[in-house]
Amino acid sequence: MQQGREEEEELEEEKEADGGPERALEKSPFQLTPGDVYDISSVVGRDLLQLSAGPQVPAALARLQFRIVRVLEMLEALVSESSLAEEQLRMERDGLRREVEALRGEGSRGSAQQLSLGPDKMVIDLTDPNRPRFTLQELRDVLQERNQLKAQLLVVQEELQCYKRYIV
């Protein structure tokens, strides 16, 4: 008997420390945690057990009725909020679909323009400071001219060496 009383006192202390399982019924539905759901279940279950206990039936019935109404209000709030969120997601999805379709339409027109350029053509941004300045053919021509000038320079240097030897 003494041990049962000690357990009841410990339970009362725990309830006072964290507000007890009844605190979960006072929370906003959007702040509930899984632990709160178990607390609500425990409170409702305890009230159901008290209904069969006898002398406190009217008080237990009133508490249980209040708690069930509160749980239903929480469920209603959660369903309403999720319906609103779902509708917002649907609207956003539809907007994104329209944007994608518009971009696809623009992309197909743009790709048709690019195809008309041909496979060996390139689009260049003239404002880009790192854009290519010469064509590949122009670079080849410059390199070929440089190599010819280098060869001529070597020939001239050899002739100069010959003249120097002849004069000395």
Side-chain angles (χ1 to χ4, degrees), residues 116-129:
S116 67
L117 292 175
D120 296 333
K121 304 293 181 184
M122 183 171 73
V123 176
I124 298 172
D125 181 12
L126 296 176
T127 60
D128 182 11

Side-chain angles (χ1 to χ4, degrees), residues 49-165:
L49 285 175
Q50 287 180 355
L51 283 178
S52 63
Q56 297 178 336
V57 170
L61 186 58
R63 276 194 316 269
L64 181 61
Q65 184 179 3
F66 165 76
R67 289 176 176 156
I68 288 176
V69 167
R70 178 66 182 135
V71 168
L72 290 173
E73 288 172 347
M74 291 174 154
L75 290 172
E76 179 186 15
L78 288 172
V79 167
S80 297
E81 182 68 23
S82 68
S83 294
L84 286 174
E86 187 177 328
E87 184 60 30
Q88 287 174 338
L89 287 173
R90 244 188 236 114
M91 290 172 54
E92 191 168 334
R93 179 198 63 196
D94 293 343
L96 288 172
R97 280 185 180 164
R98 284 190 294 274
E99 283 183 44
V100 166
E101 292 301 320
L103 289 173
R104 283 183 180 164
E106 289 176 16
S108 64
R109 280 179 288 200
S111 63
Q113 290 173 350
Q114 288 176 353
L115 290 176
S116 67
L117 292 175
D120 296 333
K121 304 293 181 184
M122 183 171 73
V123 176
I124 298 172
D125 181 12
L126 296 176
T127 60
D128 182 11
N130 296 322
R131 72 180 185 275
R133 304 278 197 274
F134 303 100
T135 65
L136 194 55
Q137 186 57 46
E138 288 173 328
L139 287 175
R140 284 184 184 135
D141 292 344
V142 167
L143 284 174
Q144 187 176 6
E145 186 178 346
R146 183 200 67 153
N147 289 340
Q148 288 174 349
L149 290 172
K150 208 173 188 181
Q152 289 175 357
L153 177 65
L154 288 174
V155 170
V156 170
Q157 284 176 342
E158 286 178 10
E159 287 180 12
L160 182 63
Q161 288 295 329
C162 288
Y163 287 125
K164 280 182 181 178
R165 272 188 252 140

